[in-house]
């Protein structure tokens, strides 16, 4: 998938370069019609450009087919492990340094149906315990971020497109240097986060989320980590509550 995507990018760059060369050749021939022997054959460039556009369409079609296959495999894996229906992730927070009766709170996240590849990547890491101990930090006041404690173990091969956007209280995933990160949007970040996948939304634990934000804004506040991250099937009764 990555190889095809790189081919597509390289091809797109070639198309842009040839299109620029074609325009430049036409302008040069208009200014110097007597030097046709030195001019680039515009007909040949036109044919090559058409061939490259056709290759681009074929690669784009193959790329989309592979992405759809990855999504189907991921969706089947989620159903096999968690059953039919929506899946929720519970992040049990640990506010270090606070009284024991106040130190643990849980944020519940409902995963979207339309982004199974990213969701399954995250779920696999949760099963492995890679998110236990991950620390939170405030991201420029507009997101609250956490990063997995382990490198590898899953990769987001492409950004899935869905009808969901990065509105307030939604959850997104990003990848940097082989490490998966998650962020909770505290406002509508649709424009600034359009290159990151949106995987779900917070459905419970807003008091814990608010407390997490308040503590993260304190210079001398306690470190907040994920004590334990778990994933379960969301029952009909839970959905109706």
């Amino acid at each position: 998938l990555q190889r095809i995507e790189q081919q597509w990018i390289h091809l797109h760059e070639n198309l842009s370069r040839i299109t620029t060369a074609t325009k430049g050749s036409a302008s040069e021939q208009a200014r110097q019609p007597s030097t046709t022997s030195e001019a680039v054959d515009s007909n040949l460039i036109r044919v090559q450009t058409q061939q490259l556009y056709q290759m681009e369409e074929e690669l784009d079609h193959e790329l989309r087919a592979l992405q759809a296959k990855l999504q189907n495999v991921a969706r089947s894996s989620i159903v096999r492990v968690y059953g039919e229906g929506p899946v929720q992730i519970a992040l049990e927070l640990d506010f270090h340094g606070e009284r024991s009766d106040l130190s643990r709170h849980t944020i519940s996240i409902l995963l979207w149906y339309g982004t199974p590849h990213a969701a399954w990547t995250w779920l696999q890491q949760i099963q492995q315990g890679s998110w236990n101990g991950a620390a939170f930090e405030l991201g420029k006041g507009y997101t609250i971020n956490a990063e997995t404690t382990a490198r590898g173990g899953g990769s987001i091969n492409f950004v899935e497109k869905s009808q969901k956007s990065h509105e307030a209280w939604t959850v997104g995933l990003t990848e940097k240097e082989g490490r998966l990160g998650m962020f909770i949007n505290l406002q509508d970040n649709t424009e600034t986060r359009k290159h990151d996948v949106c995987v779900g939304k917070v459905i419970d634990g807003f008091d814990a989320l608010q407390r997490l934000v308040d503590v993260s804004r304190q210079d001398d506040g306690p470190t907040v980590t994920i004590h334990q991250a778990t994933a379960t099937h969301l029952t009909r009764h839970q959905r109706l509550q």
Side-chain angles (χ1 to χ4, degrees):
L1 181 63
Q2 292 175 343
R3 177 184 59 81
I4 292 175
E5 192 168 19
Q6 288 299 320
Q7 282 183 303
W8 188 90
I9 293 173
H10 182 66
L11 185 58
H12 187 74
E13 292 174 349
N14 285 340
L15 281 171
S16 300
R17 189 157 48 244
I18 287 179
T19 302
T20 302
T22 304
K23 293 179 180 178
S25 298
S27 301
E28 186 65 22
Q29 289 183 23
R31 291 195 301 270
Q32 300 177 0
S34 60
T35 59
T36 54
S37 60
E38 300 177 0
V40 179
D41 189 337
S42 60
N43 289 328
L44 177 59
I45 290 180
R46 190 178 302 109
V47 171
Q48 291 177 335
T49 303
Q50 291 174 349
Q51 291 175 343
L52 286 174
Y53 273 122
Q54 184 177 356
M55 290 174 60
E56 183 182 32
E57 290 178 0
E58 292 173 355
L59 281 175
D60 183 60
H61 177 74
E62 186 175 356
L63 182 64
R64 292 179 183 276
L66 281 173
Q67 291 174 347
K69 185 175 181 180
L70 283 175
Q71 287 182 306
N72 289 334
V73 170
R75 190 172 286 115
S76 298
S77 299
I78 293 174
V79 171
R80 173 173 49 82
V81 175
Y82 298 99
E84 293 282 355
V87 176
Q88 70 171 345
I89 291 175
L91 303 179
E92 185 181 355
L93 309 185
D94 195 339
F95 291 81
H96 297 273
E98 301 212 357
R99 298 201 317 269
S100 59
D101 58 331
L102 296 175
S103 62
R104 298 279 172 80
H105 289 278
T106 300
I107 296 175
S108 296
I109 299 166
L110 171 68
L111 295 179
W112 302 131
Y113 178 81
T115 52
H117 171 62
W120 178 237
T121 301
W122 195 16
L123 288 169
Q124 285 179 295
Q125 290 194 343
I126 289 174
Q127 290 174 352
Q128 297 164 3
S130 300
W131 284 85
N132 299 341
F136 283 97
E137 64 177 6
L138 197 63
K140 298 181 180 179
Y142 306 125
T143 60
I144 191 76
N145 309 329
E147 194 175 79
T148 180
T149 55
R151 289 187 178 275
S155 178
I156 300 177
N157 295 299
F158 64 99
V159 177
E160 293 166 289
K161 303 298 181 182
S162 71
Q163 297 179 346
K164 309 298 184 181
S165 58
H166 291 278
E167 299 176 353
W169 320 128
T170 58
V171 179
L173 292 181
T174 185
E175 187 178 358
K176 183 179 180 181
E177 299 178 353
R179 182 170 292 179
L180 196 65
M182 60 85 67
F183 58 92
I184 301 174
N185 293 294
L186 304 178
Q187 66 170 24
D188 190 336
N189 293 320
T190 302
E191 285 301 315
T192 58
R193 288 290 188 168
K194 58 186 176 183
H195 298 301
D196 295 313
V197 60
C198 186
V199 294
K201 67 175 181 178
V202 176
I203 58 172
D204 195 18
F206 287 96
D207 55 340
L209 176 58
Q210 183 60 56
R211 193 152 167 267
L212 169 61
V213 173
D214 293 340
V215 170
S216 300
R217 285 173 175 165
Q218 300 174 14
D219 294 333
D220 57 346
T223 301
V224 184
T225 62
I226 298 175
H227 175 71
Q228 186 178 27
T230 56
T232 57
H233 173 254
L234 188 65
T235 65
R236 177 179 175 80
H237 175 71
Q238 290 172 314
R239 295 199 302 269
L240 294 176
Q241 283 184 331

